[in-house]
Amino acid sequence: MTQDVEMKEVPAPAPSNSVTAATPSTLQHLKEIASLIESGAYAREVRRILRAVRLTIALRTKLNASVVNAFLNFSLVPGSEVHSRLASYLPKEDEQDMEVDTATSATTALAKHSLPELEIYCYLLVLIFLIDQKKYSEAKACSSASIARVKNLNRRTVEALASRLYFYYSLSYELTGDLAEIRGNLLALHRIATLRHDELGQETLLNLLLRNYLHYNLYDQAEKLRSKAPRFEAHSNQQFCRYLFYLGKIRTIQLEYTDAKESLLQAARKAPVAALGFRVQCNKWAVIVRLLLGEIPERTVFMQKGMEKALRPYFELTNAVRIGDLELFRTVADKFSSTFTADRTHNLIVRLRHNVIRTGLRNISISYSRISLVDVAKKLRLDSANPVADAESIVSKAIRDGAIDATIDHANGWMVSKETGDIYSTNEPQIAFNSRIAFCLNMHNEAVRALRFPANSHKDKESAEKRRERQQQEQELAKHIAEEDDDEF
Amino acid sequence: MDPKLSEVSQMCELFKAALVRNDFEKCETLLSQLKVLLTAFRSLPPLFEATLNAVHELTVARDIYEHAVILSVKTEDQDAFERDFFQLKPYYTDAGDRLPQSQQEFPILGLNLLRLLVQNRIAEFHTELELLSASALENPCIKHAVELEQSFMEGAYNRVLTARQTVPHETYVYFMDLLAKTVRDEIAGCSEKAYDSLSINDARQILLFSSDQELSGYINEEHPEWEIKNGYVIFQKAKESAPCKEIPSLQLITQTLSYARELERIV
């Protein structure tokens, strides 16, 4: 019925702009989403709400002021406080569109139940629209108002929408650079979410808080929050990926490189393919962590689709570390220092200097059976007052740490490398195999756990005859097996 | 001016004078009195109320804590240092925009970094480093600490010990001495793996002792397994682990059992 009315209205204002002709389809979608939310709210099915949110995100690019206004008129009682507040955020439009809208809303005067879910959804829609239009200060005001509203509601179905609201709330403040202001609010919201057992909200808010702390480099506080916050099975893949990324960052700064590598690589793997920016960031940090651990990432990591340009500085850095050349490392670090500072990886790059020296030493030790320390100092290109003494201490530390296998002859001032024995006679292969086997088995277990059976509603109902047939077959099979058993005896 | 504030300022002056004189007991008593008086001010952390004299009060309080930190270095009390430093930190971070920059800020930050390095809390060292802005990193006091950490990590210990000569601030001397001791232990550990034997002269040079007696005293205390023969220090090389014919059976058993269990689960 709604459709007929719309079709009649559209040809009437003939000289109207083509925008009006395009809006019905988007508006139609929005109305469908609204009805989906309504049905979900009544049936208390959270999944429908989530689906509604997903559909909205798909429509994001097609939104414009008139559509949003029309939708507001449709879903909220016009003249109500909420409606006027939300409408005030949107820019005013010209007369003709208003006519169409009022006409449609007048004709579709169905009973408008002012559902809280619908209200929150309208807030969400307006917020998304404002952010896309880059009207950040209005977005800030809108989001603060919506948060105040959400605090009073306590329904499962609202929570799904609320978690998206929190995200945009934090985003609007971040884009205006006022992230520190909302920290108290986010903490309060997290408390409320925990009290209400709102796990999706808790997850989202924890990630937002971590992001807040990491934005200001407060790694210590972020870690304290993360270790104390309650944790549970991830509800949303995206939130889980974000959590892993933040965890990886914290662990890197705290020098726990193995844990960091695991988290970062997992985050990069689990992230959806469309999230290119996120994966680029994960990969950047993962590359650095691997370099700090002493392993060189393969070239394919840098050649992934769409990431080549962004990862170029890191590629050159890896090259410098691989060769073990301090000079090259220094030039690369200086050349791309602005990129590194923007990525906040600058301090980590400084830590890499030590790795460069180690790699250089290892190369020297493998290539020479005996080499004088003066030559070692020259090759490593250590720029210091007393290179030979430096080189000597560095070599002795490397020997102690097990990076190279050699001895120093102080009297003659040279380094003698030891013969490396056959590695297969040690336990190394066993350990390497074990880690791979454990990984595969882990993967298998996770896959089994993630198995889902097809939903019942999608299965075609068996017709009566088919069922009879199937039962007949089963009976025959049972008889057959019984006979077989008899035969065996 | 507020009577309480003037009282505190006067006591602060007395405190500073006592510190210069190195009269530690008087300092301690004055400090505890000052701390009690400071609790009366509402403009200090954690309340941060904007009272009339807020700026003045904050400056005075910050002054007091800075001198408390210096006091703890002079009395060689590391726990007191940590406590006072934590109380001082909010003045730099949160109240930083309200107050003019303190002269002592960078030296004290550098001191803290050095302390973390000496106590081998490298993770916290790096976390603190992240909080510093780029301009802070250019400051000589902080640069000194950062370069020290780098040299320490790389193993260029002689650089560490020469850095002792170039301290930017006299309060650093205490920590540098502690660091020297740690470095010496590290050098000894590295040397025993790296060298087969060293002449006594070389050993003395590397370990930075000024006389042979100190060297032999050190060896007897810390490393009794080293032998001194014919003017050479022989490091224990006998425990050159022969290629271990022993199989780590327990580990292999646990691994194989876990494989069996997991494979059994595969339907």
Side-chain angles (χ1 to χ4, degrees):
Chain A
M1 190 180 94
T2 329
Q3 238 172 340
D4 294 343
V5 172
E6 294 238 50
M7 290 311 282
K8 261 192 262 154
E9 292 299 330
V10 162
S16 71
N17 33 6
S18 54
V19 175
T20 337
T23 46
S25 53
T26 331
L27 193 53
Q28 198 55 26
H29 284 308
L30 284 177
K31 289 182 183 170
E32 281 166 11
I33 294 178
S35 56
L36 191 62
I37 294 183
E38 270 181 47
S39 63
Y42 282 128
R44 299 219 192 286
E45 279 228 3
V46 182
R47 250 187 265 154
R48 288 196 208 166
I49 309 277
L50 291 173
R51 206 163 139 238
V53 174
R54 270 204 300 277
L55 290 169
T56 322
I57 306 294
L59 283 179
R60 212 168 150 168
T61 44
K62 297 199 217 127
L63 287 178
N64 59 29
S66 57
V67 174
V68 182
N69 240 328
F71 181 71
L72 284 180
N73 288 332
F74 165 70
S75 49
L76 299 173
V77 179
S80 75
E81 185 199 315
V82 175
H83 183 248
S84 46
R85 197 184 316 149
L86 283 174
S88 67
Y89 292 124
L90 299 170
K92 303 287 171 242
E93 309 111 28
D94 52 1
E95 284 296 310
Q96 298 203 315
D97 290 338
M98 290 299 278
E99 275 181 33
V100 178
D101 295 334
T102 41
T104 23
S105 62
T107 26
T108 59
L110 305 165
K112 271 186 272 250
H113 316 271
S114 52
L115 279 176
E117 281 87 2
L118 217 46
E119 200 185 314
I120 303 292
Y121 178 72
C122 291
Y123 269 113
L124 186 62
L125 195 64
V126 172
L127 197 50
I128 294 180
F129 174 67
L130 286 171
I131 290 185
D132 283 340
Q133 298 280 320
K134 302 206 193 314
K135 298 212 180 69
Y136 298 134
S137 40
E138 278 132 23
K140 256 165 75 170
C142 177
S143 52
S144 317
S146 62
I147 297 290
R149 183 78 182 88
V150 166
K151 274 191 188 167
N152 299 330
L153 296 168
N154 185 5
R155 297 161 72 146
R156 283 273 164 266
T157 38
V158 172
E159 282 161 10
L161 292 167
S163 55
R164 301 257 81 213
L165 263 181
Y166 300 146
F167 173 70
Y168 286 111
Y169 172 57
S170 177
L171 183 65
S172 58
Y173 273 86
E174 189 174 336
L175 288 167
T176 46
D178 285 331
L179 212 45
E181 279 176 29
I182 59 170
R183 217 179 283 162
N185 265 341
L186 286 176
L187 283 167
L189 284 169
H190 185 88
R191 257 203 317 274
I192 295 177
T194 322
L195 284 172
R196 293 185 186 161
H197 294 284
D198 172 12
E199 293 194 343
L200 184 57
Q202 273 179 287
E203 245 187 316
T204 324
L205 285 163
L206 182 64
N207 282 341
L208 289 173
L209 276 165
L210 286 177
R211 189 189 172 87
N212 201 319
Y213 285 128
L214 292 181
H215 185 82
Y216 291 104
N217 278 343
L218 296 166
Y219 288 98
D220 201 26
Q221 283 172 276
E223 173 57 18
K224 287 201 178 98
L225 173 67
R226 191 209 65 79
S227 54
K228 304 280 189 329
R231 296 226 285 123
F232 32 73
E233 277 295 313
H235 278 252
S236 152
N237 192 34
Q238 286 94 332
Q239 297 297 337
F240 188 48
C241 289
R242 288 196 185 111
Y243 175 74
L244 284 171
F245 177 57
Y246 298 140
L247 180 62
K249 270 175 122 168
I250 296 176
R251 289 269 176 266
T252 318
I253 300 295
Q254 293 185 327
L255 294 167
E256 289 176 35
Y257 298 132
T258 332
D259 289 337
K261 180 176 113 169
E262 209 182 289
S263 301
L264 288 167
L265 285 178
Q266 223 185 344
R269 259 202 309 267
K270 283 196 156 168
V273 180
L276 188 61
F278 177 75
R279 277 188 310 136
V280 167
Q281 280 293 105
C282 283
N283 272 317
K284 284 183 183 177
W285 279 73
V287 162
I288 298 202
V289 172
R290 287 172 84 174
L291 287 174
L292 282 166
L293 272 173
E295 51 180 76
I296 313 283
E298 321 83 46
R299 193 177 275 258
T300 46
V301 168
F302 302 99
M303 297 302 165
Q304 289 174 64
K305 225 173 81 99
M307 297 203 225
E308 288 130 23
K309 225 176 89 164
L311 289 179
R312 178 107 208 135
Y314 293 86
F315 176 63
E316 298 201 9
L317 198 66
T318 313
N319 223 10
V321 175
R322 185 175 61 92
I323 300 177
D325 189 347
L326 262 184
E327 269 306 316
L328 184 58
F329 177 74
R330 218 172 319 197
T331 23
V332 171
D334 288 330
K335 192 163 120 189
F336 294 111
S337 63
S338 53
T339 332
F340 294 144
T341 334
D343 288 336
R344 293 157 193 263
T345 45
H346 190 82
N347 286 332
L348 297 171
I349 309 275
V350 170
R351 286 193 223 169
L352 272 178
R353 205 181 112 96
H354 158 63
N355 284 67
V356 177
I357 297 181
R358 273 285 162 87
T359 324
L361 256 185
R362 210 177 304 148
N363 287 344
I364 294 176
S365 155
I366 295 178
S367 349
Y368 288 88
S369 59
R370 191 167 61 187
I371 177 171
S372 77
L373 287 168
V374 177
D375 284 333
V376 170
K378 228 188 308 181
K379 280 189 196 298
L380 286 177
R381 296 203 233 189
L382 302 161
D383 60 341
S384 67
N386 200 356
V388 181
D390 278 355
E392 193 163 344
S393 353
I394 292 179
V395 169
S396 64
K397 180 153 200 269
I399 295 175
R400 203 267 300 263
D401 291 339
I404 57 180
D405 226 352
T407 45
I408 308 182
D409 191 342
H410 186 87
N412 293 324
W414 56 50
M415 175 178 97
V416 183
S417 313
K418 275 195 223 159
E419 276 285 317
T420 44
D422 179 18
I423 204 167
Y424 277 97
S425 63
T426 64
N427 279 328
E428 289 293 313
Q430 167 67 28
I431 298 172
F433 272 131
N434 186 44
S435 63
R436 282 162 176 70
I437 294 175
F439 176 73
C440 290
L441 288 172
N442 236 350
M443 173 88 51
H444 175 262
N445 284 339
E446 279 193 23
V448 168
R449 249 177 274 163
L451 270 181
R452 270 201 203 127
F453 293 98
N456 268 331
S457 51
H458 292 275
K459 230 196 304 203
D460 293 322
K461 295 273 181 277
E462 281 184 347
S463 63
E465 304 132 26
K466 282 210 177 147
R467 205 182 317 146
R468 247 183 290 131
E469 251 185 67
R470 188 170 51 86
Q471 281 176 341
Q472 218 178 8
Q473 280 178 353
E474 282 177 12
Q475 278 174 351
E476 283 176 5
L477 199 55
K479 234 190 325 172
H480 195 67
I481 294 176
E483 281 170 7
E484 267 190 31
D485 282 347
D486 288 342
D487 287 341
E488 278 176 18
F489 282 98
Chain B
M1 207 168 37
D2 200 22
K4 276 194 281 188
L5 189 53
S6 37
E7 190 190 335
V8 170
S9 320
Q10 276 173 348
M11 212 182 277
C12 186
E13 295 301 316
L14 285 173
F15 176 56
K16 282 193 240 186
L19 190 61
V20 170
R21 280 199 316 265
N22 287 345
D23 184 357
F24 295 137
E25 278 121 39
K26 188 130 196 294
C27 283
E28 300 273 338
T29 36
L30 278 173
L31 184 61
S32 3
Q33 282 173 345
L34 277 169
K35 281 188 183 174
V36 171
L37 285 172
L38 280 176
T39 52
F41 291 150
R42 294 184 67 82
S43 65
L44 303 179
L47 292 171
F48 275 125
E49 267 181 31
T51 60
L52 296 161
N53 296 324
V55 176
H56 198 100
E57 286 169 2
L58 284 167
T59 335
V60 167
R62 188 177 66 183
D63 225 8
I64 293 174
Y65 281 117
E66 283 174 357
H67 284 93
V69 165
I70 299 181
L71 172 66
S72 60
V73 174
K74 289 200 176 168
T75 49
E76 310 195 348
D77 185 351
Q78 288 192 24
D79 292 328
F81 182 102
E82 196 167 342
R83 276 196 309 266
D84 291 324
F85 183 77
F86 275 134
Q87 288 196 295
L88 183 53
K89 237 172 127 195
Y91 291 92
Y92 291 145
T93 48
D94 299 327
D97 39 357
R98 284 191 237 178
L99 304 175
Q101 179 110 62
S102 157
Q103 290 292 65
Q104 308 268 27
E105 180 172 342
F106 289 130
I108 292 191
L109 285 176
L111 259 180
N112 185 44
L113 287 174
L114 197 49
R115 175 186 66 94
L116 288 172
L117 190 58
V118 165
Q119 292 174 345
N120 211 15
R121 285 146 77 167
I122 311 288
E124 290 178 38
F125 180 94
H126 282 282
T127 325
E128 288 287 322
L129 210 54
E130 285 290 325
L131 288 171
L132 294 172
S133 63
S135 56
L137 288 170
E138 293 297 317
N139 186 285
C141 302
I142 303 203
K143 231 176 170 184
H144 179 252
V146 171
E147 283 172 5
L148 215 53
E149 194 261 343
Q150 272 216 314
S151 317
F152 198 78
M153 278 289 130
E154 285 170 13
Y157 296 121
N158 51 339
R159 245 187 280 174
V160 171
L161 295 163
T162 44
R164 190 189 181 296
Q165 268 40 7
T166 57
V167 280
H169 207 256
E170 69 280 354
T171 40
Y172 279 44
V173 173
Y174 164 61
F175 286 114
M176 297 302 289
D177 289 332
L178 282 179
L179 198 58
K181 186 171 176 313
T182 327
V183 164
R184 188 172 287 147
D185 288 333
E186 289 279 319
I187 296 180
C190 293
S191 315
E192 78 181 353
K193 292 274 166 55
Y195 298 98
D196 287 328
S197 62
L198 274 180
S199 72
I200 297 254
N201 274 333
D202 293 330
R204 189 166 48 90
Q205 232 173 3
I206 289 184
L207 290 169
L208 296 154
F209 286 112
S210 38
S211 69
D212 288 342
Q213 283 87 336
E214 280 185 36
L215 177 64
S216 29
Y218 177 73
I219 294 182
N220 289 335
E221 267 179 48
E222 306 281 337
H223 296 278
E225 68 268 9
W226 296 355
E227 299 163 13
I228 309 184
K229 257 195 295 201
N230 310 336
Y232 275 85
V233 180
I234 318 263
F235 301 111
Q236 244 333 341
K237 280 300 190 162
K239 45 179 178 345
E240 171 97 19
S241 38
C244 238
K245 285 303 170 194
E246 209 180 79
I247 310 175
S249 49
L250 193 59
Q251 190 194 18
L252 277 177
I253 291 175
T254 26
Q255 276 176 4
T256 324
L257 280 178
S258 70
Y259 297 157
R261 199 175 40 230
E262 294 287 333
L263 284 173
E264 204 54 40
R265 277 199 206 145
I266 298 180
V267 173

